[in-house]
Amino acid sequence: MLTKRIIPCLDIKNGRTVKGVNFVNLIDAGDPVVLAKQYAELGADELVFLDISATLEGRKTMLEMVLKVAEQVNIPFTVGGGISSVEDVDALLKCGADKISINSSAVKRPELVNELSNKFGSQCVVVAIDAKQIDGEWIVHLAGGTIATELNLFDWAKEVEKRGAGEILFTSMNNDGTKAGFANEALAKLSMELNIPIIASGGAGTVQHFIDTFEVGKSDAALAASVFHFGEIPILALKQELKDNNILVRI
């Protein structure tokens, strides 16, 4: 059995970590490089950085930040936001990123998944999917969840797996920010229908939610932001609880 991974997520805007709800009421949460180092020291298995502004200026800032983070951490980190070409990924990997995450750009041009997988290997291609359950069907959304598509979550996840994605980062818009638990039914279905790791995102509020997403949702990793940023759930304490519940983790 592979160990289950705990992944803090840092939203970056203009080179700073921000905290907010649905990308509004953003509050500065500090230097992402400092936070990354702290999380690595506190037992995080991986880190995810999302450039939520992803402007031209943000791209330059992100490259500089990736270089600085690579010097400070010894755990894998994934970078997402505004990535739409082989050249974008090449630049990020050369600066020290281990994986990249694509979302809207994959939906707009699915061949991008093939191109990135063929060039860099599937292990570094994470496809992020934001989906909302509407009338019982999970619908994929773009642009921070603001634009609905006609894509079904499970069909799209299967397609990107065939195209060479190495992991799926699924965020449930229904659960995001609620701290009421992950969308474990959908996660379990994804895990059953796909052969690549599934990262659960959206809804973490308690230690039990992490236990549930590994046991019930069959998730391979769990991603969260505010519960870690605000110190509500210390990572090492979380991992000890998981271990006590016979869930394999790295401590």
Side-chain angles (χ1 to χ4, degrees):
M1 264 182 69
L2 290 171
T3 56
K4 303 294 188 180
R5 291 169 287 146
I6 300 298
I7 308 175
C9 180
L10 289 85
D11 291 325
I12 314 293
K13 185 169 185 179
N14 299 325
R16 300 287 291 178
T17 309
V18 292
K19 294 184 283 207
V21 178
N22 299 331
F23 302 120
V24 296
N25 302 322
L26 298 177
I27 303 166
D28 187 282
D31 184 335
V33 180
V34 173
L35 287 172
K37 188 167 185 277
Q38 287 175 355
Y39 279 131
E41 290 168 352
L42 291 170
D45 295 296
E46 297 186 17
L47 296 167
V48 168
F49 296 86
L50 297 177
D51 180 355
I52 63 171
S53 48
T55 56
L56 197 58
E57 180 188 354
R59 167 72 44 225
K60 184 170 175 244
T61 307
M62 189 59 96
L63 288 174
E64 290 169 3
M65 187 208 75
V66 168
L67 265 172
K68 289 175 183 172
V69 169
E71 291 170 357
Q72 297 291 334
V73 306
N74 57 353
I75 58 174
F77 69 102
T78 302
V79 179
I83 296 168
S84 58
S85 69
V86 165
E87 291 74 25
D88 288 342
V89 175
D90 193 46
L92 287 164
L93 295 180
K94 279 178 178 168
C95 285
D98 297 284
K99 307 182 204 177
I100 56 87
S101 171
I102 52 174
N103 188 335
S104 299
S105 59
V107 174
K108 289 170 185 170
R109 199 171 69 81
E111 301 79 24
L112 180 62
V113 181
N114 303 70
E115 292 166 11
L116 297 181
S117 177
N118 291 338
K119 171 85 175 174
F120 305 107
S122 61
Q123 78 286 344
C124 91
V125 181
V126 180
V127 174
I129 305 176
D130 300 333
K132 186 175 189 178
Q133 193 172 31
I134 302 169
D135 297 329
E137 186 181 358
W138 285 95
I139 304 296
V140 176
H141 283 60
L142 304 183
T146 57
I147 302 168
T149 70
E150 294 182 355
L151 290 171
N152 169 278
L153 163 66
F154 306 101
D155 294 340
W156 176 234
K158 284 183 216 167
E159 179 177 343
V160 297
E161 179 183 32
K162 281 180 189 162
R163 288 181 177 276
E167 286 185 284
I168 300 289
L169 168 54
F170 163 52
T171 300
S172 163
M173 293 168 59
N174 304 73
N175 298 59
D176 195 49
T178 64
K179 295 192 178 178
F182 295 94
N184 291 320
E185 194 177 323
L187 285 158
K189 187 176 178 185
L190 282 171
S191 291
M192 187 176 68
E193 294 186 0
L194 276 68
N195 295 305
I196 55 175
I198 309 297
I199 304 167
S201 169
T206 67
V207 169
Q208 188 62 47
H209 293 153
F210 287 89
I211 294 169
D212 290 344
T213 203
F214 292 134
E215 290 185 342
V216 182
K218 309 299 179 193
S219 303
D220 298 279
L223 178 143
S226 61
V227 292
F228 296 143
H229 295 342
F230 291 114
E232 293 166 26
I233 300 179
I235 292 173
L236 280 179
L238 166 62
K239 285 188 160 186
Q240 190 59 54
E241 287 273 358
L242 293 170
K243 189 181 177 188
D244 292 347
N245 280 271
N246 299 313
I247 294 166
L248 205 58
V249 289
R250 178 185 68 86
I251 293 183

